[in-house]
Amino acid sequence: DGGITQSPKYLFRKEGQNVTLSCEQNLNHDAMYWYRQDPGQGLRLIYYSQIVNDFQKGDIAEGYSVSREKKESFPLTVTSAQKNPTAFYLCASSIVHVSYNEQFFGPGTRLTVL
Amino acid sequence: DAKTTQPPSMDCAEGRAANLPCNHSTISGNEYVYWYRQIHSQGPQYIIHGLKNNETNEMASLIITEDRKSSTLILPHATLRDTAVYYCIVRGNYGQNFVFGPGTRLSVLP
């Protein structure tokens, strides 16, 4: 089956610890994205990458870091510098097309910092 | 990217058509209208997109006004499983990203 996987589904961490969220896709998409969602809110873009070894900050990149060493993988690290890390994190991927791109989303990881 | 405005919530009776409006009065000529939905605690799911013409697929129909300043997503026979938050997004060309607002929370009632 082709798709995007995120693991784990639920994650608990103590305050002050860094934590890395996994995102893997086998759709052969060049672009990958990380979004954050707070209760009752829309999605906000954290980071995105349109090609291996390159990525750009989104609207709320502070306190987060990413890497894109492989086309299939785009892990997100939530650092201790992120003031309010408890949220629902969504990863997406898409082709890179001049006119349009449909984004495919993973099931999400719900992070709770205690 | 142009901004979109959607009602925060709507109800629809099961089996009836659900018509979800979206205003995008500042849309420019090269921007597409996309619709996604998100069922509680899951990732958003693509529904449909269009540029100028009306579009239909197995999930829904998208009606875009002639001036392109608004659109309507139509779920022809809503079921309880269509209860979700529906997002209307306007996006332009390569390099621009999706902006997900709060969307419309559709409740399909038995």
Side-chain angles (χ1 to χ4, degrees):
Chain A
D1 282 338
I4 301 177
T5 56
Q6 292 185 244
S7 60
K9 189 169 178 64
Y10 298 96
L11 189 56
F12 297 88
R13 279 295 182 269
K14 291 183 179 179
E15 193 172 346
Q17 288 182 335
N18 291 355
V19 59
T20 297
L21 281 60
S22 166
C23 178
E24 304 278 333
Q25 56 98 0
N26 61 3
L27 300 168
N28 200 33
H29 286 167
D30 286 308
M32 297 187 74
Y33 311 81
W34 273 106
Y35 293 88
R36 169 185 172 133
Q37 187 174 35
D38 293 289
Q41 306 294 314
L43 282 65
R44 291 185 289 169
L45 184 65
I46 304 173
Y47 268 99
Y48 65 100
S49 167
Q50 293 184 326
I51 195 169
V52 173
N53 292 322
D54 188 46
F55 47 83
Q56 284 76 42
K57 293 181 179 180
D59 299 321
I60 55 163
E62 185 175 351
Y64 299 97
S65 65
V66 293
S67 62
R68 187 83 187 280
E69 297 176 2
K70 297 188 300 182
K71 188 176 185 178
E72 302 80 17
S73 178
F74 192 40
L76 173 75
T77 297
V78 184
T79 75
S80 57
Q82 168 51 233
K83 296 286 185 272
N84 187 16
T86 294
F88 188 45
Y89 290 88
L90 288 155
C91 179
S93 72
S94 73
I95 63 171
V96 176
H97 189 281
V98 66
S99 296
Y100 67 87
N101 65 356
E102 171 191 343
Q103 291 191 9
F104 293 82
F105 284 83
T109 292
R110 190 168 297 280
L111 173 65
T112 301
V113 175
L114 306 171
Chain B
D1 290 325
K3 292 185 70 173
T4 63
T5 304
Q6 299 177 254
S9 64
M10 293 181 64
D11 292 339
C12 176
E14 187 179 17
R16 305 298 290 267
N19 298 290
L20 291 89
C22 179
N23 285 322
H24 31 79
S25 57
T26 60
I27 192 170
S28 58
N30 62 354
E31 290 183 315
Y32 284 75
V33 180
Y34 287 79
W35 283 84
Y36 281 77
R37 74 179 183 185
Q38 186 177 25
I39 296 169
H40 183 62
S41 294
Q42 297 182 22
Q45 176 191 22
Y46 166 83
I47 301 173
I48 199 167
H49 76 279
L51 182 62
K52 296 180 184 177
N53 300 322
N54 297 338
E55 302 287 345
T56 295
N57 63 20
E58 64 278 4
M59 289 183 68
S61 294
L62 173 61
I63 307 298
I64 302 174
T65 58
E66 194 168 340
D67 63 8
R68 303 207 326 122
K69 293 185 177 181
S70 66
S71 61
T72 300
L73 179 75
I74 301 172
L75 308 178
H77 305 287
T79 71
L80 299 179
R81 287 179 293 182
D82 291 323
T83 292
V85 177
Y86 287 77
Y87 299 99
C88 169
I89 302 159
V90 171
R91 184 189 178 278
N93 286 343
Y94 174 81
Q96 296 185 19
N97 292 301
F98 284 92
V99 177
F100 286 79
T104 296
R105 182 172 298 278
L106 175 69
S107 298
V108 180
L109 307 174

